[in-house]
Short mmCIF file of all heavy atoms in Angstrom, two decimals:
data_model
loop_
_atom_site.label_atom_id
_atom_site.label_comp_id
_atom_site.label_asym_id
_atom_site.label_seq_id
_atom_site.Cartn_x
_atom_site.Cartn_y
_atom_site.Cartn_z
N ARG E 297 0.68 -9.31 -0.25
CA ARG E 297 0.25 -9.29 -1.64
C ARG E 297 -0.32 -10.63 -2.02
O ARG E 297 0.03 -11.68 -1.43
CB ARG E 297 1.44 -8.95 -2.56
CG ARG E 297 2.55 -9.97 -2.56
CD ARG E 297 3.81 -9.42 -3.25
NE ARG E 297 3.56 -9.07 -4.64
CZ ARG E 297 4.36 -8.29 -5.37
NH1 ARG E 297 5.45 -7.77 -4.81
NH2 ARG E 297 4.07 -8.04 -6.63
N ASP E 298 -1.22 -10.59 -3.01
CA ASP E 298 -1.80 -11.81 -3.59
C ASP E 298 -1.59 -11.70 -5.10
O ASP E 298 -2.36 -11.01 -5.78
CB ASP E 298 -3.28 -11.92 -3.22
CG ASP E 298 -3.90 -13.21 -3.71
OD1 ASP E 298 -3.37 -13.82 -4.67
OD2 ASP E 298 -4.93 -13.61 -3.15
N ASN E 299 -0.57 -12.35 -5.59
CA ASN E 299 -0.25 -12.22 -7.01
C ASN E 299 -1.33 -12.84 -7.90
O ASN E 299 -1.53 -12.42 -9.04
CB ASN E 299 1.11 -12.83 -7.30
CG ASN E 299 2.26 -12.02 -6.75
OD1 ASN E 299 2.11 -10.84 -6.45
ND2 ASN E 299 3.41 -12.65 -6.60
N ALA E 300 -1.99 -13.87 -7.40
CA ALA E 300 -3.04 -14.50 -8.19
C ALA E 300 -4.20 -13.55 -8.46
O ALA E 300 -4.90 -13.65 -9.48
CB ALA E 300 -3.54 -15.76 -7.49
N LYS E 301 -4.42 -12.63 -7.52
CA LYS E 301 -5.50 -11.66 -7.65
C LYS E 301 -5.02 -10.27 -8.05
O LYS E 301 -5.82 -9.34 -8.17
CB LYS E 301 -6.28 -11.55 -6.34
CG LYS E 301 -6.97 -12.85 -5.93
CD LYS E 301 -7.72 -12.66 -4.62
CE LYS E 301 -8.45 -13.93 -4.24
NZ LYS E 301 -9.20 -13.77 -2.95
N ASN E 302 -3.72 -10.11 -8.24
CA ASN E 302 -3.14 -8.78 -8.55
C ASN E 302 -3.53 -7.76 -7.49
O ASN E 302 -3.95 -6.64 -7.82
CB ASN E 302 -3.58 -8.30 -9.93
CG ASN E 302 -2.75 -8.91 -11.05
OD1 ASN E 302 -1.96 -9.83 -10.82
ND2 ASN E 302 -2.94 -8.43 -12.27
N MET E 303 -3.37 -8.14 -6.23
CA MET E 303 -3.78 -7.29 -5.12
C MET E 303 -2.63 -7.06 -4.15
O MET E 303 -1.84 -7.97 -3.84
CB MET E 303 -4.94 -7.90 -4.36
CG MET E 303 -6.24 -8.01 -5.16
SD MET E 303 -6.97 -6.39 -5.55
CE MET E 303 -7.43 -5.82 -3.90
N LEU E 304 -2.57 -5.84 -3.64
CA LEU E 304 -1.65 -5.43 -2.58
C LEU E 304 -2.50 -5.01 -1.40
O LEU E 304 -3.55 -4.37 -1.59
CB LEU E 304 -0.76 -4.30 -3.05
CG LEU E 304 0.25 -3.75 -2.07
CD1 LEU E 304 1.40 -4.75 -1.88
CD2 LEU E 304 0.80 -2.41 -2.55
N TYR E 305 -2.06 -5.33 -0.19
CA TYR E 305 -2.83 -5.02 1.02
C TYR E 305 -1.95 -4.33 2.06
O TYR E 305 -0.74 -4.53 2.12
CB TYR E 305 -3.40 -6.29 1.64
CG TYR E 305 -4.28 -7.09 0.71
CD1 TYR E 305 -3.80 -8.25 0.11
CD2 TYR E 305 -5.58 -6.68 0.44
CE1 TYR E 305 -4.60 -8.99 -0.74
CE2 TYR E 305 -6.39 -7.41 -0.42
CZ TYR E 305 -5.89 -8.57 -1.00
OH TYR E 305 -6.69 -9.31 -1.84
N LEU E 306 -2.62 -3.55 2.90
CA LEU E 306 -1.97 -2.99 4.09
C LEU E 306 -2.93 -3.17 5.25
O LEU E 306 -3.97 -2.51 5.31
CB LEU E 306 -1.61 -1.52 3.89
CG LEU E 306 -0.85 -0.89 5.05
CD1 LEU E 306 0.56 -1.48 5.14
CD2 LEU E 306 -0.77 0.62 4.89
N GLN E 307 -2.61 -4.07 6.15
CA GLN E 307 -3.38 -4.27 7.36
C GLN E 307 -2.88 -3.31 8.43
O GLN E 307 -1.69 -3.34 8.77
CB GLN E 307 -3.27 -5.71 7.85
CG GLN E 307 -4.03 -5.99 9.14
CD GLN E 307 -5.53 -5.86 8.97
OE1 GLN E 307 -6.10 -6.34 8.00
NE2 GLN E 307 -6.17 -5.22 9.94
N MET E 308 -3.76 -2.48 8.92
CA MET E 308 -3.39 -1.45 9.89
C MET E 308 -4.14 -1.70 11.20
O MET E 308 -5.37 -1.65 11.21
CB MET E 308 -3.70 -0.06 9.35
CG MET E 308 -3.08 0.21 7.98
SD MET E 308 -3.30 1.90 7.43
CE MET E 308 -5.09 1.97 7.24
N ASN E 309 -3.41 -1.98 12.25
CA ASN E 309 -3.99 -2.22 13.56
C ASN E 309 -3.54 -1.15 14.55
O ASN E 309 -2.54 -0.47 14.33
CB ASN E 309 -3.56 -3.60 14.06
CG ASN E 309 -4.05 -4.73 13.18
OD1 ASN E 309 -5.11 -4.66 12.57
ND2 ASN E 309 -3.26 -5.79 13.10
N ASP E 310 -4.28 -1.04 15.65
CA ASP E 310 -3.94 -0.08 16.70
C ASP E 310 -3.69 1.29 16.11
O ASP E 310 -2.65 1.93 16.39
CB ASP E 310 -2.73 -0.59 17.48
CG ASP E 310 -2.46 0.24 18.73
OD1 ASP E 310 -3.41 0.88 19.24
OD2 ASP E 310 -1.30 0.27 19.20
N LEU E 311 -4.61 1.75 15.31
CA LEU E 311 -4.43 3.04 14.62
C LEU E 311 -4.40 4.19 15.62
O LEU E 311 -5.09 4.20 16.65
CB LEU E 311 -5.53 3.24 13.60
CG LEU E 311 -5.30 2.43 12.31
CD1 LEU E 311 -6.62 2.23 11.56
CD2 LEU E 311 -4.28 3.13 11.43
N LYS E 312 -3.57 5.18 15.28
CA LYS E 312 -3.39 6.37 16.11
C LYS E 312 -3.76 7.61 15.31
O LYS E 312 -3.70 7.59 14.07
CB LYS E 312 -1.94 6.46 16.56
CG LYS E 312 -1.42 5.21 17.26
CD LYS E 312 0.04 5.35 17.60
CE LYS E 312 0.62 4.05 18.19
NZ LYS E 312 -0.05 3.64 19.44
N PRO E 313 -4.11 8.71 15.98
CA PRO E 313 -4.43 9.93 15.23
C PRO E 313 -3.32 10.36 14.28
O PRO E 313 -3.61 10.88 13.19
CB PRO E 313 -4.65 10.95 16.35
CG PRO E 313 -5.13 10.14 17.50
CD PRO E 313 -4.38 8.85 17.42
N GLU E 314 -2.07 10.11 14.63
CA GLU E 314 -0.97 10.49 13.75
C GLU E 314 -0.86 9.63 12.49
O GLU E 314 -0.05 9.91 11.61
CB GLU E 314 0.36 10.47 14.51
CG GLU E 314 0.66 9.18 15.24
CD GLU E 314 0.26 9.23 16.71
OE1 GLU E 314 -0.80 9.83 17.04
OE2 GLU E 314 1.03 8.67 17.53
N ASP E 315 -1.68 8.58 12.41
CA ASP E 315 -1.73 7.79 11.17
C ASP E 315 -2.66 8.40 10.14
O ASP E 315 -2.75 7.91 9.01
CB ASP E 315 -2.21 6.36 11.48
CG ASP E 315 -1.23 5.59 12.36
OD1 ASP E 315 -0.01 5.71 12.14
OD2 ASP E 315 -1.71 4.87 13.27
N THR E 316 -3.36 9.46 10.51
CA THR E 316 -4.26 10.14 9.59
C THR E 316 -3.47 10.68 8.40
O THR E 316 -2.49 11.42 8.57
CB THR E 316 -4.99 11.28 10.29
OG1 THR E 316 -5.85 10.73 11.31
CG2 THR E 316 -5.83 12.08 9.30
N ALA E 317 -3.90 10.29 7.19
CA ALA E 317 -3.17 10.68 5.98
C ALA E 317 -3.91 10.12 4.77
O ALA E 317 -4.83 9.31 4.92
CB ALA E 317 -1.74 10.13 5.99
N VAL E 318 -3.49 10.56 3.61
CA VAL E 318 -3.87 9.89 2.37
C VAL E 318 -2.85 8.79 2.10
O VAL E 318 -1.63 9.07 2.12
CB VAL E 318 -3.95 10.87 1.18
CG1 VAL E 318 -4.32 10.11 -0.09
CG2 VAL E 318 -4.96 11.97 1.47
N TYR E 319 -3.33 7.59 1.89
CA TYR E 319 -2.44 6.44 1.66
C TYR E 319 -2.43 6.09 0.18
O TYR E 319 -3.48 5.99 -0.46
CB TYR E 319 -2.92 5.26 2.50
CG TYR E 319 -2.58 5.39 3.95
CD1 TYR E 319 -3.24 6.31 4.76
CD2 TYR E 319 -1.57 4.63 4.52
CE1 TYR E 319 -2.90 6.45 6.10
CE2 TYR E 319 -1.23 4.76 5.87
CZ TYR E 319 -1.90 5.69 6.64
OH TYR E 319 -1.57 5.83 7.97
N TYR E 320 -1.21 5.91 -0.33
CA TYR E 320 -1.01 5.64 -1.74
C TYR E 320 -0.32 4.31 -1.94
O TYR E 320 0.62 3.95 -1.23
CB TYR E 320 -0.13 6.72 -2.38
CG TYR E 320 -0.72 8.10 -2.35
CD1 TYR E 320 -0.48 8.95 -1.28
CD2 TYR E 320 -1.50 8.57 -3.42
CE1 TYR E 320 -1.00 10.23 -1.25
CE2 TYR E 320 -2.01 9.85 -3.40
CZ TYR E 320 -1.77 10.66 -2.31
OH TYR E 320 -2.29 11.94 -2.29
N CYS E 321 -0.74 3.62 -2.96
CA CYS E 321 -0.09 2.41 -3.42
C CYS E 321 0.88 2.80 -4.54
O CYS E 321 0.57 3.68 -5.36
CB CYS E 321 -1.19 1.49 -3.95
SG CYS E 321 -0.69 0.01 -4.80
N LYS E 322 2.03 2.18 -4.57
CA LYS E 322 3.02 2.52 -5.59
C LYS E 322 3.71 1.27 -6.14
O LYS E 322 4.12 0.39 -5.38
CB LYS E 322 4.10 3.44 -5.05
CG LYS E 322 5.10 3.90 -6.10
CD LYS E 322 6.24 4.68 -5.49
CE LYS E 322 7.22 5.13 -6.58
NZ LYS E 322 8.43 5.78 -6.01
N GLN E 323 3.79 1.21 -7.47
CA GLN E 323 4.68 0.25 -8.10
C GLN E 323 6.06 0.88 -8.12
O GLN E 323 6.24 1.98 -8.66
CB GLN E 323 4.24 -0.06 -9.52
CG GLN E 323 5.13 -1.04 -10.24
CD GLN E 323 4.92 -1.05 -11.76
OE1 GLN E 323 4.49 -0.04 -12.33
NE2 GLN E 323 5.20 -2.17 -12.39
N GLU E 324 7.05 0.18 -7.51
CA GLU E 324 8.36 0.78 -7.36
C GLU E 324 9.37 0.26 -8.39
O GLU E 324 10.35 0.93 -8.69
CB GLU E 324 8.87 0.53 -5.95
CG GLU E 324 7.98 1.16 -4.88
CD GLU E 324 8.65 1.20 -3.54
OE1 GLU E 324 9.19 0.17 -3.11
OE2 GLU E 324 8.61 2.27 -2.90
N TRP E 325 9.17 -0.92 -8.87
CA TRP E 325 10.08 -1.54 -9.85
C TRP E 325 9.32 -2.61 -10.56
O TRP E 325 8.52 -3.32 -9.94
CB TRP E 325 11.30 -2.15 -9.10
CG TRP E 325 12.30 -2.77 -10.03
CD1 TRP E 325 13.37 -2.16 -10.61
CD2 TRP E 325 12.30 -4.12 -10.51
NE1 TRP E 325 14.04 -3.05 -11.39
CE2 TRP E 325 13.41 -4.25 -11.37
CE3 TRP E 325 11.46 -5.22 -10.32
CZ2 TRP E 325 13.70 -5.46 -12.02
CZ3 TRP E 325 11.74 -6.41 -10.96
CH2 TRP E 325 12.86 -6.52 -11.80
N PRO E 326 9.49 -2.80 -11.86
CA PRO E 326 10.53 -2.20 -12.72
C PRO E 326 10.21 -0.82 -13.26
O PRO E 326 11.09 -0.15 -13.80
CB PRO E 326 10.64 -3.22 -13.86
CG PRO E 326 9.29 -3.83 -13.94
CD PRO E 326 8.77 -3.89 -12.53
N THR E 327 8.92 -0.43 -13.13
CA THR E 327 8.57 0.94 -13.50
C THR E 327 7.87 1.57 -12.32
O THR E 327 7.57 0.90 -11.33
CB THR E 327 7.67 0.98 -14.75
OG1 THR E 327 6.48 0.22 -14.50
CG2 THR E 327 8.39 0.41 -15.95
N SER E 328 7.62 2.85 -12.40
CA SER E 328 7.01 3.58 -11.29
C SER E 328 5.61 4.01 -11.65
O SER E 328 5.37 4.58 -12.72
CB SER E 328 7.87 4.81 -10.96
OG SER E 328 7.28 5.53 -9.89
N SER E 329 4.68 3.72 -10.74
CA SER E 329 3.29 4.10 -10.97
C SER E 329 2.61 4.30 -9.62
O SER E 329 2.87 3.55 -8.68
CB SER E 329 2.57 3.00 -11.76
OG SER E 329 1.22 3.32 -11.96
N TRP E 330 1.76 5.33 -9.53
CA TRP E 330 1.04 5.64 -8.30
C TRP E 330 -0.45 5.43 -8.47
O TRP E 330 -0.99 5.68 -9.54
CB TRP E 330 1.27 7.10 -7.89
CG TRP E 330 2.63 7.45 -7.44
CD1 TRP E 330 3.66 7.93 -8.21
CD2 TRP E 330 3.13 7.40 -6.10
NE1 TRP E 330 4.77 8.16 -7.43
CE2 TRP E 330 4.46 7.85 -6.13
CE3 TRP E 330 2.59 7.00 -4.87
CZ2 TRP E 330 5.27 7.92 -4.98
CZ3 TRP E 330 3.38 7.07 -3.74
CH2 TRP E 330 4.70 7.52 -3.79
N GLY E 331 -1.12 5.04 -7.39
CA GLY E 331 -2.56 5.09 -7.34
C GLY E 331 -3.03 6.49 -7.00
O GLY E 331 -2.22 7.41 -6.78
#
């Protein structure tokens, strides 16, 4: 995460076919919110 930019990241390496999916970002606390 980069709090100065209000950004969350997920670096994914060595991807496999089983990683195929829709990926969601979520605020988990103090409240809940989905992208």
Side-chain angles (χ1 to χ4, degrees):
R297 65 192 298 163
D298 184 337
N299 289 341
K301 297 181 178 180
N302 279 9
M303 294 292 294
L304 180 73
Y305 302 104
L306 184 68
Q307 179 66 44
M308 306 186 295
N309 298 328
D310 190 23
L311 282 159
K312 305 177 185 299
E314 53 264 39
D315 296 319
T316 295
V318 178
Y319 285 72
Y320 297 90
C321 171
K322 184 186 181 187
Q323 180 196 26
E324 299 193 312
W325 182 90
T327 58
S328 179
S329 179
W330 290 93

